[in-house]
Amino acid sequence: MAALVAVFALHPTPLPAASPENVALRAAGTPRLALSVVDAEQPPAEGDRAGWLEWERTRLDLLRELGDWAAIEARVIAHPRGLPRAFTDLGRSLQAEAALARGDGASARARLRALTWQSERPVGGTLQHWREQLIRAYLLEGLIEDAHLAMIRYRQDYGDDDPVLRELGVRILLRAGRPDAALAALGNAADPAADALRLLAELRAGRRPAEAIGQAAETQARVLQDDPVGATRYWAVAVEAAALAEQGAARIAALEAGLPATDLPPAEAPFALTPDALWRAYRAHGETLGNRAQLLVGQDDAWFEFAAARAVEAPLDARALHATLAQAARAPELRAASHAALIDALATLPRGALLLRRLYLDDAADPRTASLPAALRQRLADEALTAGDPAAAARLYATLDAPPADVDAFAWKLRRARLLARVDAAGTGGVALQRLITEHPERAAAEVDALLTAVGGLQRAGAHAAADAVLAALLAGAQDTPARQRALLFARAENARALGDPRRAARHYLHGAMLPGTDAGDAAGHAARRAAVGELIAAGLDDDAVALLEALIAETPKKRREPLEEELRRLRERG
């Protein structure tokens, strides 16, 4: 929280007074809904710069609260020129935090050094915040000596009372291989983060047996099961203790318990639990089990039978053996069967779906995942959708070319296209939708509503050119249905307006309104012609706009003509 205050002190004016609703939504724990208020209420930067700045500050605050660093970076990059220096410093500071969040210490360090040296009179504790973040950047890069020196200077200037600072100093000492000094620095601190660091320092200093420390860490992790970050720290200590004690099964158990809890940020490096660590632990334990059973390397069928036989009596051992074969078996068929057995086994664990996500879905391009048979990748994609992770599902669907044999091909391809549109709307998402329409023209013509929903996804992602190409393809297949043609033409008009092409927007509005087989005077036709007036004016075609307004006035009941007559009057006066 102190860091948040420091960063947003860069722009010290209060949050928008026009947004009591926004404040209430945030207090209710609905920041995404609050963000939609910003989307709706923020004025354009060129028209009301002061108002835009206030709303933009709220937007960045909300995105930071959500941890949406990618959105923050994209937003800051798109900021207009000529903003106040304090606000540009805010943007650069958030970019540095985003770099830290994704583990890019070098980029964060470059930005923070520039901010530290170039900023003019930073507000409040901002400089202090930047210097603390710079220490974290050094630590991320492995520049331990630089981090240590920066910490010494920081303490000289700001003191040593902050528990967060103390914890950071202990991390530096541990990374420097000085666990005894880390213990001294911790002193009598008694918070969960300090306790986990103390156990880790005791382990590395050899103060107590590794087995005892592992048991203590596991006990604390279970106590903190409702605190994912706190529990994962202790599970990480248990993992390191088990490795030091050469307890392969305990190491796997701690990794399986800790990995699903949370994906700790890079700043938590001493406690990092990674999918690769679990794969390595599986293989090490599996090879140990195979050697004890006197199984020879290369006898993959015998290893598989051994794993299957252990499934009931020792399920953890079976998982390790299947994971070993999944990585090392010579025959692709046996590797696939081992992956399938491991996936089945993991799915039965209390948090198996989350563990599957970490092992297989964190990186769909991982060779272990990319080489899986299509049926297994399909299963993992479905697991991701069930777990509420459409981005991971999209990455897997991108590797699938055809639906399973027992699934409706059109529905499967539509789901795939909609998911791809979430991660690459302008590219693979739009192309997949166009292919779907081309390959299934009759089905596409019958399910325009579903496809229009998918097009809406492209438009929300800003891929209006791709959306227009899909709409054109749909339009070509809807020749016998005037109502559908009209809906598609109106959608193309809205899309053209979003692309800043008022002439084409007016053309599509009017084409849809006047389409044979429809009534230009019905509610939809009237609304489209009314929208076309605005596009004609925007295109500089005032004479056409006047003619269209006159026609609309003539067919509109007298009691509803006033807004149209007023617009016609203003248009004539302008001409």
Side-chain angles (χ1 to χ4, degrees):
M1 183 59 70
L4 178 66
V5 171
V7 171
F8 283 91
L10 282 165
H11 195 59
T13 48
L15 292 176
S19 185
E21 177 188 11
N22 189 286
V23 173
L25 291 173
R26 295 175 70 184
T30 54
R32 293 193 184 279
L33 189 58
L35 197 57
S36 71
V37 175
V38 180
D39 290 335
E41 300 292 337
Q42 185 175 24
E46 59 275 12
D48 178 5
R49 178 60 61 91
W52 181 90
L53 284 168
E54 291 299 343
W55 282 104
E56 187 66 6
R57 180 172 177 266
T58 303
R59 180 192 299 279
L60 293 174
D61 192 0
L62 285 165
L63 290 173
R64 190 181 188 280
E65 181 180 337
L66 290 164
D68 194 344
W69 298 107
I72 285 175
E73 289 197 276
R75 191 75 192 178
V76 172
I77 289 171
H79 278 170
R81 297 182 177 220
L83 297 180
R85 179 60 180 269
F87 203 89
T88 59
D89 280 353
L90 167 61
R92 292 158 69 199
S93 181
L94 289 171
Q95 285 179 309
E97 283 201 61
L100 286 174
R102 66 171 181 268
D104 186 354
S107 177
R109 177 167 57 90
R111 293 185 184 281
L112 289 162
R113 286 175 67 87
L115 281 167
T116 301
W117 290 104
Q118 297 173 14
S119 183
E120 299 173 1
R121 298 192 304 278
V123 176
T126 304
L127 181 59
Q128 181 177 349
H129 171 68
W130 288 337
R131 288 178 62 181
E132 178 192 324
Q133 296 292 80
L134 184 58
I135 295 168
R136 296 182 187 278
Y138 284 135
L139 202 53
L140 264 180
E141 284 190 273
L143 302 174
I144 306 305
E145 185 60 30
D146 289 328
H148 184 59
L149 291 172
M151 177 63 77
I152 291 172
R153 296 191 189 102
Y154 183 100
R155 283 174 169 152
Q156 289 171 345
D157 290 339
Y158 302 113
D160 195 17
D161 298 329
D162 186 351
V164 175
L165 179 67
R166 181 194 61 229
E167 182 182 334
L168 188 57
V170 170
R171 291 172 189 272
I172 292 171
L173 291 169
L174 285 171
R175 289 286 301 277
R178 299 174 59 194
D180 290 308
L183 283 168
L186 281 166
N188 297 320
D191 57 85
D195 289 342
L197 284 167
R198 183 176 289 105
L199 281 176
L200 188 60
E202 287 178 343
L203 176 68
R204 293 181 182 179
R207 297 288 183 92
R208 285 196 282 159
E211 295 89 339
I213 289 178
Q215 290 171 2
E218 180 180 345
T219 299
Q220 284 302 110
R222 297 193 185 283
V223 169
L224 293 173
Q225 60 183 341
D226 294 330
D227 173 11
V229 173
T232 302
R233 289 178 179 138
Y234 283 105
W235 283 123
V237 175
V239 168
E240 189 167 327
L244 192 60
E246 298 183 352
Q247 297 174 319
R251 181 182 173 197
I252 289 171
L255 279 162
E256 287 182 340
L259 259 181
T262 184
D263 187 7
L264 289 177
E268 296 281 349
F271 303 112
L273 296 180
T274 66
D276 273 341
L278 180 52
W279 283 112
R280 290 194 301 271
Y282 278 144
R283 185 160 184 173
H285 189 52
E287 289 174 348
T288 298
L289 293 170
N291 290 335
R292 287 177 187 166
Q294 298 184 338
L295 297 174
L296 298 177
V297 174
Q299 293 181 331
D300 294 338
D301 289 334
W303 281 70
F304 192 87
E305 291 175 8
F306 180 52
R310 302 282 290 170
V312 175
E313 179 186 347
L316 184 147
D317 288 352
R319 292 195 294 274
L321 288 160
H322 282 307
T324 301
L325 283 172
Q327 299 174 81
R330 295 178 180 178
E333 298 81 5
L334 196 55
R335 286 199 301 273
S338 299
H339 274 295
L342 178 61
I343 290 169
D344 285 340
L346 291 173
T348 66
L349 297 179
R351 289 190 291 179
L354 290 171
L355 190 54
L356 277 174
R357 228 166 112 194
R358 295 302 312 276
L359 281 175
Y360 286 100
L361 303 181
D362 272 10
D363 182 4
D366 185 306
R368 279 181 292 258
T369 301
S371 64
L372 290 176
L376 283 179
R377 279 178 279 137
Q378 178 69 61
R379 178 177 172 182
L380 289 169
D382 293 339
E383 291 275 3
L385 283 175
T386 302
D389 190 352
R395 291 196 299 271
L396 282 166
Y397 265 98
T399 71
L400 298 168
D401 296 322
D406 58 345
V407 170
D408 180 278
F410 180 88
W412 183 89
K413 290 177 182 178
L414 178 57
R415 183 189 304 121
R416 178 179 183 271
R418 291 179 67 175
L419 284 167
L420 292 178
R422 296 181 73 120
V423 295
D424 183 19
T428 56
V431 170
L433 280 170
Q434 290 179 65
R435 282 183 58 190
L436 174 63
I437 295 163
T438 303
E439 292 170 0
H440 302 270
E442 293 182 3
R443 186 73 178 273
E447 302 203 27
V448 169
D449 289 345
L451 288 163
L452 280 175
T453 301
V455 170
L458 296 178
Q459 292 171 324
R460 285 190 295 276
H464 295 289
D468 194 62
V470 175
L471 289 168
L474 274 173
L475 195 56
Q479 296 298 330
D480 61 336
T481 53
R484 286 179 182 148
Q485 278 189 290
R486 175 184 255 193
L488 291 167
L489 284 164
F490 290 169
R492 288 197 79 184
E494 294 293 326
N495 206 64
R497 183 159 68 175
L499 284 167
D501 189 345
R503 286 174 181 261
R504 192 153 59 90
R507 192 179 81 210
H508 290 318
Y509 276 130
L510 292 173
H511 185 186
M514 313 296 289
L515 199 66
T518 65
D519 181 0
D522 66 13
H526 184 91
R529 290 155 69 204
R530 180 71 182 82
V533 170
E535 298 306 306
L536 289 169
I537 295 171
L541 302 175
D542 288 7
D543 290 344
D544 285 354
V546 167
L548 186 52
L549 272 171
E550 289 175 338
L552 286 168
I553 290 168
E555 68 186 46
T556 300
K558 287 185 178 181
K559 61 182 179 181
R560 292 167 49 197
R561 287 180 181 176
E562 185 176 345
L564 296 172
E565 290 172 337
E566 176 61 23
E567 184 165 5
L568 179 61
R569 182 185 64 77
R570 288 199 307 269
L571 193 55
R572 282 174 170 164
E573 287 177 353
R574 193 175 75 172

